[in-house]
Amino acid sequence: MKSDPSVSAAPFRGSTGSVRGGEPRRAAAAPASPGLLLEEASDLLVVHLDFGAALEACERALRGLPGGRTRDAPAAEPAGASMEVKCSLCIVGIQALAEMDRWREVLSWILQYYQVPDLPPKVLELCILLYSKMQEPGVVLDVVSAWLQDSDNQGLPEYRVVAELHLQRVLLPLGLVSEAEEFVMGSRVFVEEQRQRVLQAVHAARQQLEKKHSGFLEAQKLNQEGSLSHQFLSLLMLLRQLWDSATSRLLSLPLKKSLLAALILCLLVVRFDPAGSALPSDQEGYTCSPPPTSPP
């Protein structure tokens, strides 16, 4: 990190200094400007890999900028330069949070220093790419939609880039095909050639989504059929086990008990199927009758 000689040497010039009017002159170190803190944070992030210290330096600088959470320090740079420094500080802070695996805090951290319509396009693009990479694009859905609907942002040269990222990295991965198509048709930022190209991507995503949905339904149907077949096989296995158990039980009984069990089984069959056990009639259609008795 480069040091400012005027700042670093201030504490060593004496705490009392020369006496003027009988009172000691107190020399206090001037607070570091946001630009110097940005340089310090970048150095901590890239060179020293001290991500926590880099984030802390960014927060100190952001608090000292106009539009930060506190406005204790006056603006030392013009408005344009201050906005550029603020944007750069937020980018360094996002990278520090991501390196510390605190990427879920990025959006809420950024919104501490910006209103949604005032978000710089570079910061918003970085947030979209980050949450898309982490497969959580729904986190930035509402924020990006609100930013795109702001009339002041629609005149920015970066608006089309943010709109394309919103389509490709947020709407389509979330399956919001109808919303994507409606956005493309209603936006005037795309020329006709770009609109046709984006619509082709939207239609391809719709077909892929429908194919995926049909495949899911087919897989669900196969799972249901497989479940029924599994239940039927389980029932057959249970019956087989019961039959084997009954057979082994009968074979283990003595001969008399086996005959008695067989007789009982035959009686049960006759009891429940009386038609099959009736006496058959003769071939001529006459039934057997008892012999006549002689008169007395």
Side-chain angles (χ1 to χ4, degrees):
M1 179 188 71
K2 298 179 180 180
S3 60
D4 189 354
S6 62
V7 176
S8 59
F12 301 99
R13 292 176 182 173
S15 59
T16 57
S18 61
V19 177
R20 179 181 300 177
E23 294 182 358
R25 179 167 58 91
R26 297 179 180 178
S33 65
L36 289 177
L37 288 174
L38 173 61
E39 186 178 355
E40 178 184 352
S42 302
D43 190 53
L44 290 169
L45 177 71
V46 178
V47 179
H48 301 285
L49 302 179
D50 193 346
F51 309 122
L55 180 64
E56 184 180 355
C58 290
E59 291 176 341
R60 282 191 287 120
L62 288 168
R63 286 194 295 265
L65 281 172
R69 284 184 294 182
T70 60
R71 302 188 180 185
D72 299 333
E77 293 120 342
S82 177
M83 292 175 59
E84 188 67 26
V85 169
K86 183 177 181 180
C87 177
S88 300
L89 286 168
C90 288
I91 291 176
V92 174
I94 291 173
Q95 294 175 344
L97 286 170
E99 292 290 347
M100 291 187 293
D101 199 20
R102 293 168 56 185
W103 56 270
R104 293 179 179 85
E105 307 174 23
V106 165
L107 187 61
S108 59
W109 184 79
I110 289 296
L111 293 179
Q112 293 177 355
Y113 307 104
Y114 285 103
Q115 299 294 327
V116 172
D118 301 330
L119 284 169
K122 294 180 181 179
V123 173
L124 195 58
E125 292 171 18
L126 188 58
C127 289
I128 294 174
L129 293 174
L130 173 64
Y131 283 99
S132 173
K133 182 179 179 181
M134 305 309 297
Q135 299 182 355
E136 292 289 343
V139 176
V140 295
L141 175 62
D142 295 336
V143 172
V144 181
S145 299
W147 190 91
L148 291 171
Q149 292 174 2
D150 187 79
S151 58
D152 294 335
N153 294 329
Q154 294 177 4
L156 296 175
E158 301 91 350
Y159 182 85
R160 183 174 60 84
V161 178
V162 177
E164 289 183 352
L165 284 176
H166 183 56
L167 284 170
Q168 298 173 1
R169 300 299 185 98
V170 180
L171 292 179
L172 295 182
L174 290 175
L176 303 176
V177 181
S178 301
E179 289 81 353
E181 188 174 8
E182 181 180 354
F183 175 75
V184 174
M185 297 302 296
S187 178
R188 291 179 292 182
V189 70
F190 301 105
V191 297
E192 187 61 28
E193 183 180 355
Q194 293 173 344
R195 182 177 288 107
Q196 293 300 326
R197 177 171 54 85
V198 174
L199 284 177
Q200 289 179 359
V202 172
H203 294 331
R206 184 190 299 275
Q207 293 177 358
Q208 184 178 2
L209 186 64
E210 292 175 353
K211 183 178 179 181
K212 183 178 179 181
H213 182 66
S214 62
F216 173 76
L217 292 178
E218 184 177 356
Q220 188 177 12
K221 183 179 179 181
L222 291 175
N223 289 334
Q224 291 178 353
E225 293 178 356
S227 177
L228 293 176
S229 300
H230 180 71
Q231 293 178 359
F232 181 70
L233 290 176
S234 299
L235 180 60
L236 289 180
M237 291 294 296
L238 179 60
L239 292 176
R240 177 63 183 272
Q241 292 176 0
L242 292 176
W243 173 255
D244 292 341
S245 176
T247 304
S248 60
R249 179 65 178 172
L250 287 175
L251 291 177
S252 63
L253 293 176
L255 180 60
K256 293 183 179 180
K257 292 184 179 180
S258 300
L259 293 176
L260 180 60
L263 179 60
I264 293 174
L265 182 61
C266 292
L267 291 176
L268 289 176
V269 172
V270 172
R271 176 66 179 84
F272 288 104
D273 189 14
S277 60
L279 292 176
S281 59
D282 59 4
Q283 297 179 353
E284 296 180 359
Y286 298 99
T287 58
C288 296
S289 58
T293 57
S294 59

